[in-house]
């Protein structure tokens, strides 16, 4: 085969292996972009969810604080009107007392209804009486139902309850004042005592009202801090994930770019060499046909029977060379393209198939085939084991020593430790020592040049696919022995 064609095949194989390693390296090195994408999506969703409910909580908390201001104002205004009524006996002041006191009383009704899980209409009516904004009613109810066991809110509700008790006490004082004013007059001392009592209740209410607002304020600050920490946490996750995603994508793009550049270089080389390779391969395939056709033309004019037999022998040699070349190319293609299938195979069956396949070769029947098979079933790939034995047996037949009368080929199998061993031994012409390190190279042929130079290269590649080793022992005019070692359990 043409030298450039051989170089082309070597380069193609090298580039293919390089690109395959790059693809495997890329897959192992880079994390999944889908994982990063999912992390970003989940973090964003969590952040939206967290912020929504935090804002809802703070908004409801604000509504409670605003409600407390109305509660406090209503209570203080009610106390002021009651004191005025106490000294003026003005009926309008009594009416205004009752009207202002409805604000804290409405909140008290709503609190009891919330605790007892009463109808929502009752709760909202109470809150409306407490001057809670209509748009805040649902949030106020939601916060109570979901935070009633939370420490800061439970503490605030307790302050609210104590404030309601004082509101009821203020109402009771008002009723007592109204009854006495309606029936009898109050003395100056009695008015002073009632005034002091109203002041005491108002002072205590102010304390509970302040505690209520302070407790809710502390809760709001805690929620704000938690929200800040949570936002920072999820934002860091998002930033880290997006950064990692960007890095991964950039590295994948760079790797893809390198692979594309390598493929482009390979395609440029393939395009420039393809015509030469096709010409050279076609020449090697057509040469035996041309020779046979020439011999046929000569044989047409030949009348000597012995000479005709010699022409037929030459034709047979040419066709045998072509058949061997095509067979080597097919074996090479099978070994490269077929996926490794590791299974239990019978060495005895494969060896018998190989011997039968080579029985038609010239002089094959004059060579004694010896079998020393200590093992049969092994774990391996049927196709590649057959390729290995085919090439070794074929070489042993081709390079047999016709000067010897006791020509033989001995095929042995054995098992030692964790290795299966297949040995093919012959007493052929042998291999020169300087050639023994090169015989497994692609297209290498010895000075006898009876093959395509692919057989032993293909055999070695098949052995490598099985994670095995092949070596040769040979002596010129004595014989050759090939030893193939295959691990019992090898990685696929």
């Amino acid at each position: 085969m043409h030298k450039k064609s051989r170089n082309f095949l070597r380069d193609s194989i090298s580039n293919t292996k390089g690109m395959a390693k790059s693809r495997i390296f890329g897959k192992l090195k880079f994390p999944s972009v889908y994982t990063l994408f999912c992390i970003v999506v989940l973090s964003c969703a969590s952040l939206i969810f967290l912020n929504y409910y935090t804002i809802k909580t703070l908004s409801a908390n604000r509504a409670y604080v605003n409600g407390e201001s109305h509660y406090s104002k209503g209570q203080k205004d009610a106390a002021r009107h009651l004191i005025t009524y106490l000294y003026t006996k003005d009926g309008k002041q009594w009416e205004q007392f009752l009207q202002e006191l409805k604000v804290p009383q409405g909140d008290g009704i709503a609190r009891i209804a919330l605790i007892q899980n009463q109808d929502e209409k009752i709760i909202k009516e109470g809150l409306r009486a407490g001057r809670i904004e209509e748009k805040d009613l649902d949030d106020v109810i939601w916060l109570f139902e979901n935070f009633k066991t939370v420490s800061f809110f439970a503490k605030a509700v307790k302050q609210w309850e104590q404030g309601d008790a004082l509101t009821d006490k203020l109402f009771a004082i008002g009723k007592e004042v109204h009854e006495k004013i309606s029936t009898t007059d109050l003395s100056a001392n009695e008015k002073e005592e009632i005034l002091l009592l109203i002041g005491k209740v108002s002072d205590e209410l102010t304390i509970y009202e302040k505690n209520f607002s302070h407790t809710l304020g502390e809760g709001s600050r805690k929620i704000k801090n938690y929200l800040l920490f949570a936002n920072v946490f999820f934002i860091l996750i998002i930033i880290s994930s997006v950064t990692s995603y960007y890095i991964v994508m950039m590295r994948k793009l760079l790797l893809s770019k390198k692979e594309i550049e390598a493929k482009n270089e390979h395609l440029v080389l393939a395009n420039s060499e393809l015509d030469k390779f096709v010409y050279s391969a076609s020449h090697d395939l057509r040469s035996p046909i041309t020779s046979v056709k020439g011999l046929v033309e000569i044989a047409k004019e030949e009348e000597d029977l012995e000479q005709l037999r010699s022409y037929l022998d030459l034709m047979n040699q040419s066709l045998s060379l072509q058949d061997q070349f095509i067979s080597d190319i097919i074996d090479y293609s099978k070994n490269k393209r077929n996926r490794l299938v590791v299974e239990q195979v019978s060495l005895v069956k494969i060896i018998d198939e190989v011997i039968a396949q080579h029985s038609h070769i010239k002089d094959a029947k004059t060579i004694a085939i010896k079998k020393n098979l200590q093992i049969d079933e092994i774990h391996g790939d049927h196709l590649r084991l057959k390729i290995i034995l085919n090439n070794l047996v074929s070489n042993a037949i081709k390079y047999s020593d016709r000067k010897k009368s006791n020509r033989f080929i001995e095929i042995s199998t054995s098992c030692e430790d964790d290795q299966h061993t297949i040995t093919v031994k012959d007493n052929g012409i042998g291999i020169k020592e300087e050639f023994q390190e090169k015989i497994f190279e692609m297209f290498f042929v010895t000075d006898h040049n009876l093959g395509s130079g692919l057989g032993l290269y293909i055999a070695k590649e098949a052995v490598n696919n099985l994670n095995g080793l092949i070596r040769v022992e040979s002596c010129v005019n004595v014989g050759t022995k090939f030893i193939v070692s295959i691990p019992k359990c090898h990685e696929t």
Side-chain angles (χ1 to χ4, degrees):
M1 184 174 283
H2 196 276
K3 183 178 180 181
K4 289 185 178 180
S5 300
R6 296 175 182 177
N7 291 337
F8 167 73
L9 277 180
R10 291 193 187 98
D11 292 341
S12 299
I13 294 162
S14 177
N15 289 335
T16 302
K17 288 180 178 178
M19 286 186 288
K21 288 180 180 177
S22 296
R23 286 194 294 271
I24 294 169
F25 175 76
K27 288 179 181 178
L28 292 175
K29 188 173 181 179
F30 300 131
S32 171
V33 295
Y34 299 108
T35 301
L36 295 172
F37 177 75
C38 289
I39 291 173
V40 171
V41 171
L42 290 174
S43 298
C44 289
S46 300
L47 200 57
I48 292 169
F49 177 85
L50 179 68
N51 278 278
Y52 170 77
Y53 280 101
T54 301
I55 292 169
K56 186 179 179 71
T57 302
L58 292 175
S59 176
N61 206 53
R62 173 196 52 77
Y64 272 97
V65 173
N66 287 342
E68 184 279 326
S69 67
H70 291 301
Y71 185 105
S72 178
K73 186 177 183 302
Q75 170 264 315
K76 286 178 171 58
D77 287 344
R80 179 171 54 81
H81 289 302
L82 180 60
I83 292 170
T84 303
Y85 176 63
L86 177 65
Y87 285 95
T88 64
K89 300 179 183 179
D90 185 357
K92 290 183 179 180
Q93 294 298 322
W94 170 251
E95 294 298 329
Q96 289 180 342
F97 165 74
L98 294 176
Q99 186 65 33
E100 293 297 330
L101 201 61
K102 284 182 180 179
V103 175
Q105 285 177 333
D107 287 334
I109 292 170
R111 178 183 62 79
I112 294 171
L114 283 166
I115 291 173
Q116 296 177 354
N117 291 320
Q118 294 181 16
D119 189 84
E120 192 174 282
K121 290 181 180 180
I122 299 174
I123 298 170
K124 286 187 176 181
E125 284 301 319
L127 293 174
R128 289 189 187 103
R131 296 176 184 170
I132 300 295
E133 293 288 337
E134 188 70 29
K135 60 184 179 181
D136 290 331
L137 294 180
D138 290 330
D139 285 347
V140 167
I141 296 171
W142 174 84
L143 186 67
F144 193 99
E145 290 176 346
N146 290 278
F147 282 73
K148 57 188 175 185
T149 58
V150 178
S151 60
F152 83 90
F153 192 78
K155 183 178 178 182
V157 171
K158 187 66 177 176
Q159 300 292 325
W160 185 3
E161 180 184 354
Q162 291 172 331
D164 286 344
L166 289 172
T167 299
D168 293 339
K169 188 174 182 180
L170 182 61
F171 178 68
I173 293 170
K175 284 178 66 177
E176 182 182 350
V177 169
H178 181 62
E179 288 175 2
K180 287 185 178 182
I181 287 176
S182 299
T183 57
T184 60
D185 198 6
L186 293 169
S187 64
N189 289 335
E190 287 177 326
K191 288 180 181 180
E192 188 69 25
E193 289 176 3
I194 292 171
L195 180 62
L196 290 173
L197 185 58
I198 292 171
K200 182 181 178 182
V201 170
S202 293
D203 290 341
E204 290 180 3
L205 265 169
T206 299
I207 293 171
Y208 288 129
E209 289 161 357
K210 286 182 178 178
N211 288 341
F212 180 85
S213 296
H214 178 74
T215 303
L216 289 179
E218 286 292 324
S220 296
R221 283 187 286 276
K222 286 182 180 180
I223 292 172
K224 182 188 72 175
N225 290 334
Y226 292 148
L227 175 64
L228 177 62
F229 293 142
N231 272 271
V232 170
F233 174 74
F234 283 111
I235 287 170
L236 287 176
I237 290 178
I238 292 169
I239 291 173
S240 300
S241 299
V242 170
T243 303
S244 300
Y245 181 86
Y246 174 78
I247 292 171
V248 167
M249 292 307 297
M250 288 301 297
R251 294 175 76 178
K252 283 185 175 290
L253 286 173
L254 289 174
L255 180 62
S256 178
K257 181 182 177 183
K258 289 179 181 179
E259 288 185 350
I260 290 171
E261 288 174 352
K263 288 178 181 178
N264 286 339
E265 290 177 4
H266 175 66
L267 288 173
V268 169
L269 177 63
N271 288 334
S272 63
E273 294 286 343
L274 185 58
D275 290 341
K276 296 177 183 179
F277 171 73
V278 171
Y279 170 78
S280 179
S282 299
H283 179 268
D284 287 344
L285 289 170
R286 288 172 59 87
S287 290
I289 298 174
T290 304
S291 298
V292 171
K293 288 174 70 177
L295 288 169
V296 169
E297 293 299 324
I298 295 172
K300 286 180 180 179
E301 306 296 330
E302 185 61 56
E303 295 181 358
D304 187 346
L305 188 59
E306 289 299 322
Q307 190 63 39
L308 282 173
R309 286 197 180 96
S310 67
Y311 291 155
L312 290 173
D313 287 338
L314 291 173
M315 292 178 193
N316 185 58
Q317 290 176 16
S318 295
L319 292 174
S320 295
L321 286 173
Q322 185 181 42
D323 180 65
Q324 183 61 48
F325 181 77
I326 293 171
S327 177
D328 287 344
I329 292 295
I330 291 171
D331 282 348
Y332 173 79
S333 176
K334 287 180 180 178
N335 187 55
K336 284 293 180 186
R337 295 180 181 277
N338 285 26
R339 183 175 62 88
L340 191 68
V341 179
V342 179
E343 57 186 355
Q344 286 294 116
V345 296
S346 170
L347 286 178
V348 173
K349 184 178 178 181
I350 293 174
I351 290 169
D352 288 341
E353 289 175 358
V354 170
I355 293 171
Q357 184 176 330
H358 290 82
S359 61
H360 69 282
I361 297 177
K362 184 180 179 181
D363 295 333
K365 293 182 179 180
T366 63
I367 301 173
I369 305 294
K370 303 176 182 180
K371 293 188 289 184
N372 181 18
L373 309 180
Q374 298 180 18
I375 57 170
D376 179 14
E377 296 285 335
I378 71 166
H379 208 55
D381 182 280
H382 183 276
L383 171 65
R384 285 166 177 82
L385 287 169
K386 190 169 183 179
I387 287 173
I388 295 165
L389 284 163
N390 256 329
N391 281 286
L392 296 182
V393 172
S394 175
N395 273 8
I397 294 172
K398 282 190 296 185
Y399 296 102
S400 64
D401 192 346
R402 290 178 175 79
K403 297 176 183 177
K404 296 175 182 176
S405 58
N406 60 335
R407 291 183 291 167
F408 71 87
I409 298 172
E410 182 178 349
I411 304 172
S412 306
T413 61
S414 62
C415 178
E416 294 182 7
D417 299 328
D418 59 347
Q419 298 283 327
H420 294 302
T421 303
I422 302 171
T423 303
V424 178
K425 179 181 178 182
D426 64 64
N427 63 342
I429 60 177
I431 304 170
K432 293 181 180 179
E433 188 175 351
E434 63 265 29
F435 294 152
Q436 291 180 19
E437 292 183 359
K438 300 178 181 180
I439 57 174
F440 296 110
E441 296 177 5
M442 181 182 279
F443 297 120
F444 179 80
V445 291
T446 64
D447 48 2
H448 296 286
N449 193 21
L450 297 177
S452 64
L454 282 174
L456 289 177
Y457 169 79
I458 295 169
K460 189 175 190 305
E461 286 290 296
V463 172
N464 289 342
N465 286 340
L466 295 172
N467 290 338
L469 294 173
I470 183 171
R471 57 190 177 89
V472 63
E473 297 174 3
S474 184
C475 184
V476 176
N477 297 325
V478 176
T480 302
K481 180 166 69 172
F482 285 94
I483 303 101
V484 177
S485 299
I486 300 172
K488 289 181 180 178
C489 296
H490 60 276
E491 297 294 333
T492 59

